[in-house]
Amino acid sequence: MAKVVKFNFEDLQENTTTEDKQQETPQQDEKDLIRQALEDHVLSNFAVKTILGMNFVYKVNKNDVGVIGQLAYEHKRRPGVFVADYIAKGYKQKDKYIIDSLAFELGEPEFYKQIFNILKAKKALPEL
């Protein structure tokens, strides 16, 4: 005699959407961790009162992290809102990211170019 097997496709579709959400979460967490590291570095090392917005692209190669982006901020001593292009390099230490160098394109052009060349040599330069 034949046996009837019934497949439940609804459960199968729910499982795939759950797996997709789980795959998106680590990359979003990584971006949030890099954003937090950038904000901490900028607020502690530059005359920035508040960060209003930040756009960036990043690339992680082994433990090296390269970031290129744009920052909107309020200056501590000058009134008004400023926008600056920047480049940063850092590294991953266990579960967090640390930014060790950051340079603004117009403020420190030599240092900006130096970080650019270092990231290019380490193959951690993000593509725009």
Side-chain angles (χ1 to χ4, degrees):
M1 292 267 136
K3 186 175 184 181
V4 177
V5 178
K6 189 175 182 181
F7 292 101
N8 192 352
F9 289 108
E10 293 172 5
D11 291 339
L12 183 62
Q13 291 174 352
E14 290 174 6
N15 289 341
T16 32
T17 55
T18 306
E19 290 174 6
D20 291 341
K21 289 178 185 175
Q22 290 174 354
Q23 290 174 356
E24 291 174 9
T25 305
Q27 186 168 355
Q28 186 64 26
D29 288 342
E30 183 177 72
K31 189 169 184 170
D32 289 339
L33 290 171
I34 293 172
R35 178 182 300 276
Q36 184 63 39
L38 286 166
E39 288 178 359
D40 291 344
H41 186 81
V42 168
L43 291 173
S44 64
N45 293 317
F46 296 98
V48 173
K49 183 166 50 171
T50 57
I51 295 175
L52 303 173
M54 182 184 306
N55 293 328
F56 64 91
V57 292
Y58 68 94
K59 183 175 179 183
V60 178
N61 185 18
K62 298 180 183 172
N63 286 335
D64 298 319
V65 180
V67 182
I68 296 178
Q70 199 169 43
L71 178 72
Y73 64 94
E74 287 184 27
H75 199 276
K76 282 185 180 176
R77 295 182 281 280
R78 296 183 189 166
V81 175
F82 298 92
V83 177
D85 294 326
Y86 66 91
I87 190 167
K89 76 176 187 70
Y91 55 93
K92 183 176 181 179
Q93 187 177 42
K94 295 185 181 176
D95 290 337
K96 69 178 194 172
Y97 291 91
I98 298 173
I99 302 298
D100 58 2
S101 299
L102 187 140
F104 293 105
E105 186 174 20
L106 295 177
E108 304 161 318
E110 298 88 19
F111 191 41
Y112 185 94
K113 191 68 175 169
Q114 182 181 7
I115 293 173
F116 182 86
N117 290 334
I118 290 170
L119 292 176
K120 193 173 183 182
K122 290 185 173 184
K123 297 181 181 175
L125 185 66
E127 295 178 13
L128 298 176

